[in-house]
Amino acid sequence: VCFTISAAEPNSTYLSTMGSALGVVVSIAIPLSGGVVGGVLARKSVNKWYDGLKKPSWTPPKWLFAPAWTILYTCMGVASWLVYTDGGFSRHALPLGIYGAQLALNFAWTPLFFGAKKAGLALADIGLLGIAAAYTCSLFWAVNPLAGKLLVPYLAWISYATALNTSIFVNNTNGAAPSDAAASKQKGKAK
């Protein structure tokens, strides 16, 4: 069976529903895909380097990160979709642009922390991320209060992650695991 919708009905309920569904799926897929890529790239480092770091007693278990980020990225995607559907980029270029910038900072943190093993650079990144995410939340709230509310758990998690990143940076030689620091000293003595 083939269904056709005539050009005379561009605003039909069917097209509107399909467009909305596709829009929200794409809006959620963007942050989720960045998170998945970061998670895959970080996996090796998590199991080696991260496990060797001195971490505070309030460090969450590793298994918590994937479900937490899945929920947070989903909320972020829905929030951006709500703002976008209220006028698109033409009406909300600033909130959506800041959202994109904070998403880029979010995606940059994992390669800095886990890939480059630079806790200090990652701390600078997450500090900027916190500012950008708070600004995004404020701008989204002004457009659609639900969109702003959906970002509140993200802000809480970023605050927690910033404290954790800070503790790791302070309690490890510039973020290096004890084994990395010892290896670095050995290389220095050999020269």
Side-chain angles (χ1 to χ4, degrees):
V1 177
C2 180
F3 294 98
T4 58
I5 298 174
S6 72
E9 298 179 8
N11 293 324
S12 73
T13 303
Y14 175 79
L15 283 180
S16 178
T17 302
M18 290 305 293
S20 292
L22 180 60
V24 75
V25 166
V26 169
S27 296
I28 293 169
I30 291 170
L32 272 178
S33 62
V36 167
V37 169
V40 168
L41 295 175
R43 182 167 298 182
K44 184 176 168 184
S45 185
V46 168
N47 291 330
K48 293 181 181 178
W49 175 76
Y50 183 75
D51 284 346
L53 292 172
K54 295 177 196 168
K55 296 180 284 298
S57 61
W58 40 270
T59 300
K62 288 189 289 186
W63 64 262
L64 181 63
F65 288 94
W69 277 110
T70 299
I71 292 166
L72 295 170
Y73 283 138
T74 300
C75 289
M76 291 165 62
V78 171
S80 69
W81 175 77
L82 289 170
V83 171
Y84 181 80
T85 58
D86 191 32
F89 286 105
S90 60
R91 282 190 58 203
H92 303 300
L94 180 61
L96 292 169
I98 298 297
Y99 171 75
Q102 70 81 32
L103 201 55
L105 288 165
N106 180 303
F107 293 161
W109 186 88
T110 299
L112 289 171
F113 189 84
F114 289 107
K117 299 177 179 86
K118 299 291 185 185
L121 286 175
L123 183 57
D125 177 83
I126 203 168
L128 292 172
L129 171 59
I131 293 166
Y135 190 35
T136 301
C137 182
S138 171
L139 292 169
F140 275 23
W141 200 299
V143 174
N144 182 318
L146 178 57
K149 290 174 187 174
L150 284 168
L151 294 183
V152 171
Y154 177 51
L155 292 176
W157 186 263
I158 291 170
S159 299
Y160 176 71
T162 302
L164 184 59
N165 191 154
T166 302
S167 178
I168 289 170
F169 178 68
V170 168
N171 292 310
N172 296 274
T173 310
N174 292 327
S179 59
D180 291 347
S184 181
K185 285 180 185 176
Q186 286 294 84
K187 285 180 187 176
K189 290 179 182 177
K191 290 183 180 182

